[in-house]
Structure formats: C-alpha cells, structure tokens
Amino acid sequence: RQKGGQRPTISFSALVAILMAREPASTQALQTANPALSADDVSGLLMLTAQILIIVTRVGQISRVEGAIEALLKSRETGVQAEVQAKANAVAEQLGAARHFMEVVDGAVTYDPRMLVFEFLMNMLLRASQVRLMRTFTAGESSITHQMIMGAGKTTVIAPMLALM
C-alpha cells in the first residue's frame, strides 16, 4: 500500500538483521518500516527470509561436496590408497552434514535464527560441538570459560559468533 505517494521498502540485509532480533522487537521493526504489515505479514516475511538463508547455505554445502568429489577423483589418479580413502571419507562427511541447531518440537521446527544467519554469513554449517558450546555460552548469565582443541573453530566460528550474538 502507498501512503503519501511512497511505497515503503526494506532491504534483504535489513530483513536478515531483523530475523536475529528477539520478539517483539522484530515485529515492531518491520511494522515501523511498513505500518500496513499485519502480524501475519511479518511472520510470513521472516519465514521467507529464513527459508532463503537455509537454501543459500545448502547451495554452499553442495558446492563443498562438489569440491570434495573433484579432490577424490584427482586423488584416484595418484593411486595412493590412503589418500583416496581420506578423500572418500571427506566426501561422505560433506554429504552427511546436518544442521545441528534445528530441532523438531511438537511437530514444528525450532531454531536459533542467529545461528542460521551466522551459517549464511560464513557460508558453512555449524558442527554439533560448536552448537552445544554456543548454547552453553548463551544460556547463562555468569562468566564461562571453555578449552577447545586446535581446529575446533575457536577463531573462525566461536569468537565471531559470540560477537554476532
């Protein structure tokens, strides 16, 4: 609808930022941008935004699977069995990658939209251990420390996600 001869618009990046906000802030932000939006409209917009993020992140995962398959095919040319097995395991791992922060509760999918946005921004899927650690960090009010082994994602995952949240 138009009011005063202008049509309200909102960018995709703004929708993504609003998706991370807790209710009622997200609904209020969208209704401030466009007062003609009903609560159902806002819910639909946020659901579509989440669906886009899910699909785009999955496309990135498909690209990683393709890269792992190419590496496997190239390693078969060398004939080194250990390398071929390692590359085959990498393909299997990529194919079996799952979203660990989404759960089905009473027939409905629940998730932390901040983790979905992080996956989208970083073009990656979070590991189960990373999701568990983030839930631990964000659940309490007190100070928490945690030790992680090298390669577990302290620098590229945990620290940036804590900053985002």
Side-chain angles (χ1 to χ4, degrees), residues 26-156:
S26 57
T27 298
Q28 291 169 347
L30 281 172
Q31 287 177 330
T32 298
N34 184 348
L37 291 175
S38 69
D40 287 342
D41 294 335
V42 169
S43 177
L45 272 173
L46 295 177
M47 186 179 301
L48 285 172
T49 303
Q51 288 172 346
I52 290 168
L53 298 183
I54 289 167
I55 291 168
V56 168
T57 305
R58 226 9 119 175
V59 168
Q61 182 63 20
I62 291 168
S63 177
R64 286 186 290 282
V65 168
E66 288 175 338
I69 290 171
E70 288 173 9
L72 171 61
L73 294 175
K74 187 179 270 189
S75 72
R76 290 182 64 197
E77 295 170 4
T78 66
V80 178
Q81 185 60 31
E83 182 182 352
V84 172
Q85 186 61 48
K87 300 293 184 184
N89 289 341
V91 169
E93 184 178 314
Q94 290 293 338
L95 284 171
R99 283 214 161 81
H100 297 285
F101 64 89
M102 294 187 155
E103 300 171 333
V104 178
V105 178
D106 296 329
V109 176
T110 62
Y111 66 97
D112 185 335
R114 300 170 300 178
M115 291 188 188
L116 176 60
V117 170
F118 184 82
E119 282 190 345
F120 170 76
L121 292 173
M122 301 300 284
N123 188 26
M124 62 178 290
L125 295 180
L126 295 168
R127 295 183 214 142
S129 60
Q130 294 165 337
V131 170
R132 278 192 306 274
L133 182 58
M134 287 307 300
R135 286 180 176 158
T136 300
F137 280 146
T138 58
E141 298 282 326
S142 62
S143 261
I144 297 174
T145 60
H146 188 82
Q147 184 174 349
M148 295 175 71
I149 63 170
M150 188 171 67
K154 297 178 294 290
T155 304
T156 58

